Amino acid sequence: YGCRSCNSSFPSPFQLAALERQVFDFLGYQWAPILANFLHIIIVILGLFGTIQYRPRYIVVYAIWTAIWVTWNIFIICFYLEVGGLSKDSELLTFNISRHQSWWSENGPGCVRKEASVSGIKGLDSHSYISVIGCALEYRYIEVMHSSFQILIALVGFVYACYVVSVFTEEEDSFDFIGGFDPFPLYHVNEKPTNLLFKQTYL
């Protein structure tokens, strides 16, 4: 096959982007995005395997998954922009297990995290109130940019996956046409008529 150059560049940036997203979601205990990112990494690896081993079906699976991945990231954008009744302060992304928010809510660029002890209530001296001030960019916009980048790179991956599948299909078709559908042998040897052979043997 002639698509050797497809092997080196197809999955690498997609894997790095997925791993980067997974790390920050782990830090923020965002369980729904963690599961989605994990599945995304598996599908990207499957697409890589399909590219290396010339398995167009695996690449088609990746292409279909990119549509689902784009839809998921659009939902994340709507969640943080509070579109359609969604609230960024809800516990939807943590499955209502915890009240954690995005890691960027306390660790964004320029953010200063301050803890103030809660006084006046017995038994709560060890608890503290956390306030974040001075953020140069609100965390929800950072999450929106992350999801927008994921959508962009997924669209690039979809186009490239379609290209690789078309290359593999063309190569398979040309291979079958050269050797598989020719009813006549490649080298045709002229045979003498049987009556001439009988005459030669008789003489």
Side-chain angles (χ1 to χ4, degrees):
Y1 292 95
C3 193
R4 299 289 180 182
S5 60
C6 300
N7 297 344
S8 58
S9 58
F10 168 61
S12 300
F14 308 111
Q15 284 179 321
L16 293 176
L19 288 173
E20 182 266 347
R21 180 76 173 273
Q22 184 74 308
V23 167
F24 289 111
D25 286 335
F26 256 118
L27 292 173
Y29 301 99
Q30 305 291 289
W31 303 117
I34 286 170
L35 291 177
N37 294 333
F38 178 76
L39 185 58
H40 180 61
I41 292 171
I42 296 298
I43 299 297
V44 169
I45 293 174
L46 187 67
L48 168 62
F49 179 79
T51 306
I52 295 175
Q53 297 295 324
Y54 305 102
R55 305 285 180 87
R57 292 182 181 178
Y58 293 170
I59 306 175
V60 170
V61 170
Y62 170 79
I64 295 173
W65 168 254
T66 55
I68 302 173
W69 184 243
V70 167
T71 304
W72 167 255
N73 281 279
I74 290 174
F75 166 75
I76 295 296
I77 291 174
C78 293
F79 176 82
Y80 282 106
L81 294 181
E82 300 182 330
V83 177
L86 296 170
S87 174
K88 61 182 175 60
D89 297 322
S90 69
E91 301 172 12
L92 185 62
L93 297 185
T94 59
F95 296 135
N96 295 323
I97 298 174
S98 64
R99 297 184 61 85
H100 288 93
Q101 291 183 332
S102 169
W103 181 82
W104 296 103
S105 63
E106 298 180 8
N107 301 275
C111 291
V112 178
R113 184 173 181 268
K114 291 186 176 181
E115 295 185 9
S117 298
V118 177
S119 59
I121 303 178
K122 274 190 173 183
L124 292 179
D125 293 336
S126 59
H127 290 70
S128 60
Y129 172 75
I130 300 174
S131 63
V132 181
I133 59 174
C135 294
L137 186 64
E138 193 175 348
Y139 74 93
R140 62 174 178 167
Y141 296 121
I142 298 177
E143 292 288 356
V144 167
M145 287 190 295
H146 262 92
S147 294
S148 300
F149 178 73
Q150 291 290 332
I151 291 173
L152 177 62
I153 201 169
L155 293 176
V156 173
F158 176 81
V159 173
Y160 201 85
C162 292
Y163 165 74
V164 173
V165 170
S166 66
V167 169
F168 285 173
T169 304
E170 289 176 1
E171 290 175 349
E172 287 178 356
D173 291 343
S174 62
F175 176 78
D176 292 338
F177 178 77
I178 291 173
F181 298 109
D182 191 1
F184 300 102
L186 188 59
Y187 300 102
H188 181 71
V189 179
N190 292 324
E191 297 181 355
K192 295 181 180 180
T194 53
N195 57 349
L196 293 178
L197 292 175
F198 282 125
K199 288 181 180 180
Q200 288 180 354
T201 53
Y202 178 76
L203 294 174

